[in-house]
Amino acid sequence: MLGHNIKRTGAEVLADMLDGYGVTHVFMVPAVLRRTFAEMERRTKIARIHTHGEKSAAYMADGYARASGKPGICMAQVIGALNLAAGLRDAWLAHAPVIAMTGGRDPKTKFRKVYQEIDDMPAFEPVTKMNVTIDDVARIPDMVRQAFRVATSGTPGPVHLQFRGNEGQLDLDEAEMDPLVDPLFRRVPPFRPEPDGPSTMALLSHLQDAERPVIIAGGGVRASGASTELIELAEILQIPVATSLNGKDSIPGNHPLSVGVVGSYSRESANRVVNRADLVCFIGSETGGMTTHFWAVPKIGTPAVQIDIDPEALGRNYPLLAAINADAKAALDVMLDNLDSKSAARRANWIKEAQTLCADYREKFKPQLLSDAVPIHPARICHELTQHMPDDAIVVVDTGHAGMWMGGMYDLRAPTQSYVRSAGHLGWAFPAGLGAKAACPQRPVVVFTGDAGFWYHIAEIETAVRWKLNSVTIVNNNGGGNQSKRGFDRAYGGEQTQQARELWTYNPTNFARLAEGIGALGIRVERPADFAPALAKALAAGRPAVIDVATDIEALAPVAVS
Ligand SMILES: Cc1ncc(C[n+]2csc(CCOP(=O)(O)OP(=O)(O)O)c2C)c(N)n1
Ligand SMILES: [Mg+2]
C-alpha cells in the first residue's frame, strides 16, 4: 500500500495534496499554515500570494475559481478568519468553488480568553456548503479530499476547513498518512448526471410546441461548459436566448438569437422578449430576484420548464410544466439527439419580433453608446470594450452601475471570451481579476469597476505589481458612488441638498497617477477617442495597468423594464 507506515507531517501532506489537485496559487494573509508554505516551496511550484487583506484574498481565490473552474484556495490565521468569511459571501452567491483554510482553537486553551480568539465557525455557516474543524493531523487527507469533493460537486460552492491552532499549527504534527487525491474533483464539474428519458422528451415537446419560447441561461450553463450545446439547440429550434448576469458568456452578444441579459441589471430587449414569451425554459438558473427582476420578468404563472443539476432548484419560483434534473451539457446533448428540427418553422415570426426588439434597443441607446461627450459617458466605454476586447479575454465586472452598464451594454463577440461578475459585493472585481489572471496567465484579463468599487481594495495594486498579475483595470471614475443618487433623490423628496451629495461623492482622484506610484502602468483617459489606444497600450504593457476614465457623474444607468 502506498506510503504504508510512512510518517509525514501535516504540512508535507497538505502541500502534496494541493499540488496533486492542480492548485497553482494560494491567496492569504500570514501567518497561517507556515510550515505548509515552507513545504510548498520545497516540494511544489505553488505560488503563495500574500495580499493586503483577507477579503481580497478570498475574492482572488473566487476569481481564480470562476475563471478556471478549479477550486480557489484562500487562507487566514484566526484573527483574520471573519474577514475571510466576509469574502466568501460573493462566492456563495455565485456558486464558485472556493476552499477557505483558517487557523482555529486548540482544545487545550479554548474558552480561556486566548489572544485574538473567538469562535469563528458560526460565521462560515451561511457562506459554505461544508464548514468543519480538523483537530487531528491524521484527518487532513480525508477532510481535504472531502473539501474538493463538496466544493466542485452538484451546484458548486465554498467550503471552510479550520485547522487546530491559531495559525493552523496542526500542520506540524506527524502521522502515518498518504497524500492521496481524487483527480475527479480537480475541477467543475466532476460528474455529468444524465437526464432521464421521459422527463427529457416531455420538456422537449413543450419547447417544440411553443410558438414564442425563450431560453434563460444561467451560471449553471457556464459551470457545465454547455455553451456550444446551448447555442446549437437554440439555432436548430430557433429559440431566442436571454441570460442571467452570471450566465452572460453562455452566448455571444452578437449572435442573432441573443437578446441580452434579463432581469434587474439587464438589457431592455431581453426583458421585453421574456415578458412576451409563451414558454420560458430556465437552464442552470436559480430563478432568483436579480435574474427575474424580483419575479416580474417573467411573471409568475408564465408557463415554464427548467433544467438544473440541483433537484431542489426545480420549480422554486415558477411552477413547471416539465423539468430535467441533470447536468446542463448532458441534458442538452440528449435533447440535441432527439429534437424535431421541423418545429423551428413555427417560430419564424417570433424570431423576427425578438430581433426587432433587439434592434429597437440598439437604436434607442445608440446616442449613449456612441457618445462623444466629455466627461465621458460610461456607455461609450462599454461600446469601445465590445469593439476592442481581445477574442480570448476574461472580462471581470463589479456590481452596481458597473454591473448595469456592462451587463446591459457590453457585448461578448466570441464564444472564447469569458465574463464573470460580482454577485452583489462592491469592490469584488479588482481582486477577482487578479485571481483570474493567476489562473489563466495566457489570457488577457480586463476588469471594469466604478471608483467606489476600486477604492475598496486599492492596496492590491501592490500585490499585482509584486506578483506580475498583469490585469487591466478600467475605472469608471465619476468621483462618487452615483448609483446611490436615485435613492438619495428619493430620500430627499426629489432633490438633494449639497450636503446630501456628501453621502456618496469623493474627492477627485487620479487613479492613473496612484497606480504609477505603486509600479503599475497608469493611463488617464479624458476623451472618448483616447480610450481604444489606452486599452491597446495597457494590454501590451507587460505589467498591471489601470485606465482611469474621467466620466460623467450625472450619467445614470437605465433601469429595468418589466
Ligand atoms: C459591499 C457592498 N456595500 C454596499 C453596496 C451598495 N452599493 C452598490 S453600488 C454602490 C456605489 C457604486 O459606486 P461606484 O463603484 O463608483 O460606481 P458608480 O455607481 O459611481 O458608477 C454602492 C455603495 C454594495 N453593492 N456592496
Ligand atoms: Mg463612481
Side-chain angles (χ1 to χ4, degrees), residues 398-402 405 424-426 449-453 456 476 478 480-484 506:
D398 216 51
T399 191
H401 262 160
W405 292 123
H425 294 85
L426 194 64
T449 175
D451 51 327
Y456 265 78
N476 168 24
N478 53 15
N482 89 328
Q483 197 192 28
S484 301
Y506 307 113

Side-chain angles (χ1 to χ4, degrees), residues 240-501:
V241 179
T243 74
S244 70
L245 262 189
N246 203 17
K248 183 171 165 80
D249 59 4
S250 34
I251 183 166
N254 60 358
H255 191 286
L257 292 171
S258 163
V259 297
V261 172
V262 66
S264 298
Y265 291 180
S266 59
R267 175 175 295 181
E268 65 176 49
S269 50
N271 286 17
R272 292 197 197 288
V273 168
V274 169
N275 263 353
R276 284 168 167 70
D278 63 0
L279 180 76
V280 177
C281 176
F282 292 102
I283 308 181
S285 164
E286 288 193 305
T287 68
M290 189 60 153
T291 301
T292 61
H293 198 40
F294 293 83
W295 310 286
V297 187
K299 295 188 175 49
I300 300 216
T302 305
V305 296
Q306 192 174 354
I307 303 171
D308 207 280
I309 199 166
D310 174 10
E312 294 179 16
L314 294 168
R316 179 181 287 127
N317 291 316
Y318 294 88
L320 301 174
L321 298 171
I324 300 176
N325 178 213
D327 168 67
K329 188 179 162 77
L332 288 163
D333 270 335
V334 176
M335 288 163 76
L336 283 167
D337 286 344
N338 288 284
L339 53 72
D340 167 20
S341 58
K342 289 195 293 298
S343 76
R346 139 174 345 135
R347 290 176 282 277
N349 284 341
W350 171 231
I351 294 297
K352 244 186 258 154
E353 187 178 335
Q355 287 173 343
T356 303
L357 290 166
C358 291
D360 290 349
Y361 149 76
R362 289 188 196 283
E363 202 45 42
K364 178 171 167 187
F365 287 97
K366 209 179 200 174
Q368 293 187 16
L369 290 160
L370 302 180
S371 166
D372 282 325
V374 174
I376 295 171
H377 195 290
R380 176 69 189 267
I381 309 176
C382 298
H383 174 75
E384 295 295 321
L385 289 172
T386 300
Q387 303 300 311
H388 301 292
M389 192 67 72
D391 278 352
D392 56 346
I394 302 172
V395 183
V396 183
V397 180
D398 216 51
T399 191
H401 262 160
M404 294 169 87
W405 292 123
M406 289 291 281
M409 297 192 169
Y410 167 73
D411 274 326
L412 294 140
R413 276 181 301 100
T416 44
Q417 292 173 327
S418 303
Y419 186 99
V420 292
R421 60 81 173 105
S422 165
H425 294 85
L426 194 64
W428 174 87
F430 173 54
L434 300 182
K437 189 66 188 175
C440 305
Q442 307 309 326
R443 297 180 65 182
V445 171
V446 177
V447 174
F448 184 101
T449 175
D451 51 327
F454 192 48
W455 276 120
Y456 265 78
H457 304 108
I458 203 151
E460 305 303 347
I461 297 174
E462 191 276 336
T463 309
V465 171
R466 179 161 36 90
W467 281 96
K468 301 187 173 48
L469 297 171
N470 301 336
S471 65
V472 173
T473 300
I474 293 149
V475 186
N476 168 24
N477 184 3
N478 53 15
N482 89 328
Q483 197 192 28
S484 301
K485 181 177 182 306
R486 283 190 185 107
F488 281 118
D489 279 348
R490 272 197 302 275
Y492 277 81
E495 204 181 327
Q496 294 177 54
T497 63
Q498 203 44 43
Q499 259 171 310
R501 285 174 77 92

